[in-house]
Amino acid sequence: MSATTPIETVPEAQPRVRMWFDPTCPWAWMTSRWLGEVADTRGFDVDWQVMSLAVLNEGRDLPAEYLARMPRSMRLTRLVTAARGAGGDAVVKPLYDALGTRIHHDRRKDDDAIVAEALAEVGLDASLADETDAHDATLRGTHQAAIDLVGDDVGTPVVAVDDVAFFGPVVSPAPTGEEALRLFDGVVAAASIDGFFELKRSRTRGPVFDRVADEPQVA
């Protein structure tokens, strides 16, 4: 080989990355902003999956204020699941983006209008706004897929690298740029250690979006 002959390198294979979200969870929303930026920068796809806080908390003794959020969780996770059935995997992230922008950034509570606007933005049939349990078996299946990987003592978000899943990362605000990449590399590194299970510290701030900081919410 001459000194001027280029050395061919084989690019590292990208891991399979999945994220489970509930559209109502502010922590999942920020994790999705981080993971979406990393995926765009690194050039890989994320498999966006639904898990439901309403399903997760069935039968649990929880504060009334938290339980009051569960009908919204069930409605919107049913919506995204039905949308996937109608439009395929490609509609899941755009619909999540449309819902989350209105729910988390705009802090809106008018769910009928939120759902109608989000469906129109993504180009989905308005009839999907009608809540139905027709897709509950599928919803519970995608939810259970996350639980099977990470356990049932967690919430949203759940991120899996290949077949190793973690609750989190829980971040506020969502890191961007080089910080976003460093965090992703750390998650990949943690997933490569068979015996690694948990790192945790108490949260000292609530969800910080582009314009507002909310009070901490349990996820």
Side-chain angles (χ1 to χ4, degrees):
M1 180 183 295
S2 71
T4 58
T5 302
I7 299 175
E8 293 185 3
T9 59
V10 178
E12 288 188 30
Q14 294 284 6
R16 179 190 181 197
V17 179
R18 289 172 285 173
M19 177 176 161
W20 283 263
F21 66 90
D22 182 314
T24 68
C25 177
W27 301 104
W29 174 251
M30 285 184 295
T31 300
S32 72
R33 302 307 92 186
W34 156 74
L35 189 56
E37 176 172 326
V38 173
D40 288 344
T41 302
R42 291 279 174 86
F44 63 83
D45 294 324
V46 177
D47 183 2
W48 302 96
Q49 296 286 332
V50 176
M51 67 182 297
S52 174
L53 290 172
V55 173
L56 182 70
N57 289 299
E58 286 176 340
R60 294 186 177 182
D61 185 16
L62 297 170
E65 179 184 358
Y66 189 75
L67 286 174
R69 305 177 196 164
M70 296 306 103
R72 190 185 208 195
S73 165
M74 182 59 80
R75 177 180 183 179
L76 295 183
T77 52
R78 280 173 165 169
L79 170 67
V80 178
T81 303
R84 171 176 264 136
D89 292 347
V91 305
V92 174
K93 179 59 159 45
L95 180 58
Y96 181 30
D97 291 344
L99 292 168
T101 297
R102 291 165 173 82
I103 293 168
H104 302 299
H105 285 275
D106 299 340
R107 305 175 76 179
R108 289 171 53 183
K109 304 294 184 183
D110 50 336
D111 286 351
D112 288 344
I114 288 170
V115 168
E117 291 170 17
L119 289 172
E121 181 176 318
V122 180
L124 290 167
D125 195 295
S127 65
L128 291 170
D130 299 329
E131 185 175 3
T132 172
D133 62 3
H135 299 277
D136 278 11
T138 301
L139 169 59
R140 290 177 180 275
T142 60
H143 176 93
Q144 190 61 43
I147 299 304
D148 288 345
L149 287 175
V150 80
D152 61 3
D153 57 344
V154 299
T156 57
V158 168
V159 171
V161 176
D162 294 324
D163 287 324
V164 179
F166 300 109
F167 166 53
V170 176
V171 289
S172 181
T176 60
E178 287 298 320
E179 280 192 344
L181 299 177
R182 288 203 308 273
L183 176 57
F184 180 75
D185 290 339
V187 172
V188 172
S192 72
I193 306 301
D194 177 67
F196 177 83
F197 296 103
E198 183 176 359
L199 279 175
K200 188 171 183 179
R201 63 174 176 166
S202 297
R203 300 176 199 166
T204 58
R205 67 173 70 108
V208 178
F209 307 120
D210 286 347
R211 303 196 312 259
V212 297
D214 286 353
E215 291 301 314
Q217 299 184 42
V218 178

